[in-house]
Each structure stands twice: as structure tokens, then as C-alpha cells.
Amino acid sequence: MPLLGIVAMLVAQNFYGTLPIDGVDCNPTEGVAEHIHAQLQLYDRGKRIAVPANIGISQTAGCLYWMHTHDDTGFIHIEAPVVKKYTLGQFFDIWGRDLSWSRADGVVAPHGSHLSIWIDGQAWHGSDPRTIAIRPHEVIVIQSGPPFAKPEKPQWGDM
């Protein structure tokens, strides 16, 4: 690799040795300018699929991305030093999983159809699920079916 390429790569990395993903950095502490909690529920033919704990939390680098999970409840935490629009596509990229009309991680639409996407109980019919903005206390449900599950009501607690 040419010297200029190595320098560019090192400049692109933040102090903690991780590259930003879709404009989302990995910092040692949670940011305070933006604080959003939303829930992602995934269902495959009526069966709930867990969104794993610790998405966006790097134990090896000692940092966490501004978008992350702490447990497997599907709660997405956005705790960022920058106020801006954060999307479901960014979250899936941090997670390292696919998101499209036909696939959301392991949830795959039946051949010839697309996934069912609901936001706060309303059907979503946008052009690309990656563009879905994540807003406070929003419930995003993605499912394939039939059968279709009745989404769970989140327990927001202290969030």
C-alpha cells in the first residue's frame, strides 16, 4: 500500500482504532447531544427473532458506536455527540447485517413478495427501508409471513 494510502487510512480512523460506519463514530462514552431510544422487532413467519445484545459495542477497542444495543430486547440506543438524522440502514450497517425489502438479517420475504414493515402501528411503504429515520420511542416492526405476529408492546421503563 502506498504511503499516502496508509496515512489516509490512519487519518480516517478515530483515536480508538475503529473506523466510523456510515458517519457514526465509536467513542469511549455515550454522547449527550442526541439521546433516542427506539425498538426494533423482527419476526420470521410469526416467530420473534432476537436483535442481539452489544451491537455497536466493541470490547476490544473499548468504545461504543453512537447507535448500539445493550441487551437482546431490540431497544436501539442512540446516544450521540451530534444531533442529526439516524437511520435504520446505519444501524444495520453497524450490526453488519443486510436490510432491504426482501431481507432484514435472518428475516427473509417469501419469493416474489416483500417484508411487512410497520412503524408505530402504521404500515410503511417507502422506497428503501434503509432510509427509515429512527425517532424517540418509536417501534419498528419488520416481519415476513404468513403467519404474521402481533407485535409486542415495549416496556419503556426509565428510557
Side-chain angles (χ1 to χ4, degrees), residues 110-156:
H111 184 69
S113 66
H114 59 78
L115 297 173
S116 174
I117 301 175
W118 295 76
I119 299 175
D120 286 340
Q122 301 294 315
W124 187 83
H125 299 290
S127 62
D128 182 358
R130 296 182 52 76
T131 65
I132 294 172
I134 298 176
R135 295 185 175 89
H137 287 216
E138 187 169 67
V139 179
I140 302 168
V141 176
I142 302 175
Q143 54 181 315
S144 67
F148 291 98
K150 181 177 180 187
E152 298 173 15
K153 191 168 181 94
Q155 301 297 315
W156 295 106

Side-chain angles (χ1 to χ4, degrees), residues 27-44:
N27 300 132
T29 60
E30 297 171 335
V32 296
E34 184 80 271
H35 195 118
I36 295 171
H37 295 116
Q39 188 182 43
L40 173 62
Q41 296 181 23
L42 301 175
Y43 294 91
D44 186 22

Side-chain angles (χ1 to χ4, degrees), residues 3-130:
L3 181 59
L4 184 58
I6 293 171
V7 170
M9 182 182 76
L10 292 173
V11 169
Q13 288 184 320
N14 66 20
F15 180 77
Y16 302 96
T18 59
L19 290 171
I21 298 175
D22 290 350
V24 179
D25 285 338
C26 196
N27 300 132
T29 60
E30 297 171 335
V32 296
E34 184 80 271
H35 195 118
I36 295 171
H37 295 116
Q39 188 182 43
L40 173 62
Q41 296 181 23
L42 301 175
Y43 294 91
D44 186 22
R45 290 165 183 75
K47 181 183 173 202
R48 179 89 183 251
I49 304 297
V51 175
N54 299 318
I55 294 170
I57 299 177
S58 174
Q59 302 300 325
T60 56
C63 64
L64 46 87
Y65 282 90
W66 303 341
M67 302 175 77
H68 56 271
T69 63
H70 290 285
D71 53 32
D72 65 358
T73 60
F75 286 108
I76 298 171
H77 299 254
I78 300 174
E79 290 144 341
V82 178
V83 175
K84 65 179 188 173
K85 176 181 159 186
Y86 295 92
T87 67
L88 198 57
Q90 289 172 302
F91 177 74
F92 271 77
D93 288 346
I94 291 167
W95 185 7
R97 299 295 193 263
D98 293 330
L99 176 61
S100 67
W101 270 112
S102 60
R103 175 182 295 273
D105 184 34
V107 178
V108 180
H111 184 69
S113 66
H114 59 78
L115 297 173
S116 174
I117 301 175
W118 295 76
I119 299 175
D120 286 340
Q122 301 294 315
W124 187 83
H125 299 290
S127 62
D128 182 358
R130 296 182 52 76

